[in-house]
Amino acid sequence: MARRKIAVVGLGGIGGVAAACLSLSPENDVTVCARRQIDKLTFDHLEESKQIPLKTLTDPSRAEPVDWVILCTKAQDSASAAPWLERLCTPQTTVAVLQNGISHEERVGPHAKGATILPAIVYYNGERFAPDHVRLRHIRGHDLLVPAGLPGDAFAALFEGTPIDVGRSAEFITYQWRKLLVNVIANPITALTRQRLGVFQRPDIQGLSLGVLREAVAVGRAEGAQLRDNEAETILETFLGYPPEAGTSMYFDCLAGRALEIEALNGAVVAAARRHGLPTPLNAAMLTLLTAVSDANAAETKTL
Ligand SMILES: NC(=O)c1ccc[n+]([C@@H]2O[C@H](COP(=O)([O-])OP(=O)(O)OC[C@H]3O[C@@H](n4cnc5c(N)ncnc54)[C@H](OP(=O)(O)O)[C@@H]3O)[C@@H](O)[C@H]2O)c1
């Protein structure tokens, strides 16, 4: 049987773990599309550390059409991955988008030459210690979740026999919004205050978080997510159980002076609210403040 041609675009924490795990299956022929040449990846999982040989491309003009693209850039870098997608995709390709947020189809579809877009919720923690060294940590039941149905089943088959467990759900939109709800408080508030999750122990931050969450819950419901009456309170309560010393990706990106994923998080809530005529002033304030931070970071990176 012909091996499945797979391109992993973006070799960060999530892409590194995905590339390492996919390479463990003899049925997969994996190419990594990255901005630097990396021929071998150290992959840590549980107590083990493995050396995984990689086939890497750094020049999109050398890429050829594949069966699967696993897109693992941050959401704000999706457009910069367009030269890869244009070479890798045909209408027979499926692009699995392993990014936070919603609206994956709208973000990636225009660059994907008629390929099928499969949104995926990422539950695993992928940490990059060095450009060629990543670690997989399992956080909860499934590591990835995709919509129930054919492309989702075929996607799950890519990871069979690897440490990544792929769930499929007919209630995907509800899970997508639940993950978004955590992200619309965790990321902006840690980034704006420049404090780790311990900042959520403050009653004033809890009050602000509930306001942001209640706005987003109303929008999620209007979008079709089956969110409970006490969803905002439940999310905040669960969240308070997380380790106070943990950071978020936006917190680390902010400290490192990188562009931020704010448009895909609070920006997605504000955009969806507009479609339904719902008010989201707190989410809009987070969006405005962090877009200003992100733009300044991006401008500084360009002048370096
Ligand atoms: N990490 C986690 O545990 C985690 C958990 C849940 C969800 N997520 C979500 O998963 C997504 C990926 O996150 P991440 O943590 O893996 O981010 P990351 O560590 O920043 O990795 C993103 C990678 O994309 C690469 N990239 C950006 N533009 C590119 C381009 N045009 N061509 C090729 N490569 C490009 C970057 O390259 P450089 O290295 O050259 O900058 C980087 O290696 C995000 O949406 C994030 O919110 C992450």
Side-chain angles (χ1 to χ4, degrees):
M1 203 182 77
R3 293 163 82 215
R4 302 170 289 220
K5 286 191 175 162
I6 305 173
V8 177
V9 178
L11 197 68
I14 294 306
V17 166
C21 290
L22 288 164
S23 299
L24 294 173
S25 165
E27 292 179 42
N28 295 334
D29 174 6
V30 180
T31 301
V32 165
C33 302
R35 295 199 277 210
R36 73 187 91 189
Q37 189 66 38
I38 291 174
D39 300 320
K40 197 171 48 152
L41 195 62
T42 302
F43 171 56
D44 297 348
H45 175 234
L46 304 175
E47 301 305 309
E48 264 193 280
S49 187
K50 285 193 169 112
Q51 300 295 312
I52 312 274
L54 291 184
K55 193 164 56 171
T56 308
L57 289 178
T58 55
D59 177 0
S61 72
R62 300 192 55 200
E64 290 183 358
V66 292
D67 303 311
W68 287 89
V69 174
I70 316 295
L71 180 62
C72 302
T73 64
K74 289 253 168 71
Q76 70 271 17
D77 291 322
S78 304
S80 82
W84 287 113
L85 296 174
E86 278 157 20
R87 297 286 300 190
L88 294 165
C89 292
T90 70
Q92 284 70 49
T93 305
T94 303
V95 181
V97 184
L98 276 59
Q99 291 176 342
N100 272 339
I102 54 173
S103 314
H104 298 75
E105 169 86 49
E106 290 86 330
R107 194 159 57 236
V108 178
H111 310 296
K113 294 182 76 181
T116 301
I117 308 296
L118 181 71
I121 305 173
V122 181
Y123 290 122
Y124 66 83
N125 175 260
E127 189 166 352
R128 177 167 58 160
F129 298 116
D132 61 352
H133 186 182
V134 293
R135 177 181 66 185
L136 163 63
R137 274 192 307 174
H138 305 282
I139 302 296
R140 45 172 285 166
H142 298 299
D143 298 305
L144 292 169
L145 189 77
V146 291
L150 195 53
D153 291 345
F155 177 71
L158 303 180
F159 287 93
E160 256 163 39
T162 83
I164 297 258
D165 174 75
V166 182
R168 280 146 280 171
S169 173
E171 273 94 51
F172 182 77
I173 185 170
T174 300
Y175 288 105
Q176 212 178 15
W177 271 88
R178 287 215 171 106
K179 178 88 201 280
L180 183 64
L181 290 173
V182 172
N183 280 323
V184 296
I185 55 168
N187 281 286
I189 290 176
T190 54
L192 283 169
T193 60
R194 298 192 161 224
Q195 295 180 48
R196 294 175 183 242
L197 295 188
V199 74
F200 285 90
Q201 299 303 329
R202 292 177 59 103
D204 50 1
I205 293 289
Q206 291 174 17
L208 173 63
S209 302
L210 275 177
V212 173
L213 284 170
R214 285 180 184 138
E215 286 178 9
V217 166
V219 180
R221 282 178 151 175
E223 289 277 291
Q226 303 295 309
L227 301 172
R228 297 159 291 198
D229 289 343
N230 64 347
E231 194 77 46
E233 291 76 6
T234 308
I235 297 248
L236 185 61
E237 208 177 294
T238 312
F239 193 66
L240 292 175
Y242 294 170
E245 68 281 8
T248 65
S249 66
M250 200 177 287
Y251 165 81
F252 291 117
D253 283 345
C254 207
L255 293 189
R258 290 191 284 258
L260 307 178
E261 212 168 27
I262 189 70
E263 191 59 51
L265 304 182
N266 302 73
V269 172
V270 171
R274 225 175 273 133
R275 290 197 286 276
H276 299 283
L278 290 167
T280 49
L282 294 174
N283 280 274
M286 300 278 177
L287 176 63
T288 303
L289 292 168
L290 284 161
T291 302
V293 174
S294 183
D295 288 353
N297 288 352
E300 208 156 295
T301 309
K302 261 191 208 144
T303 55
L304 286 179

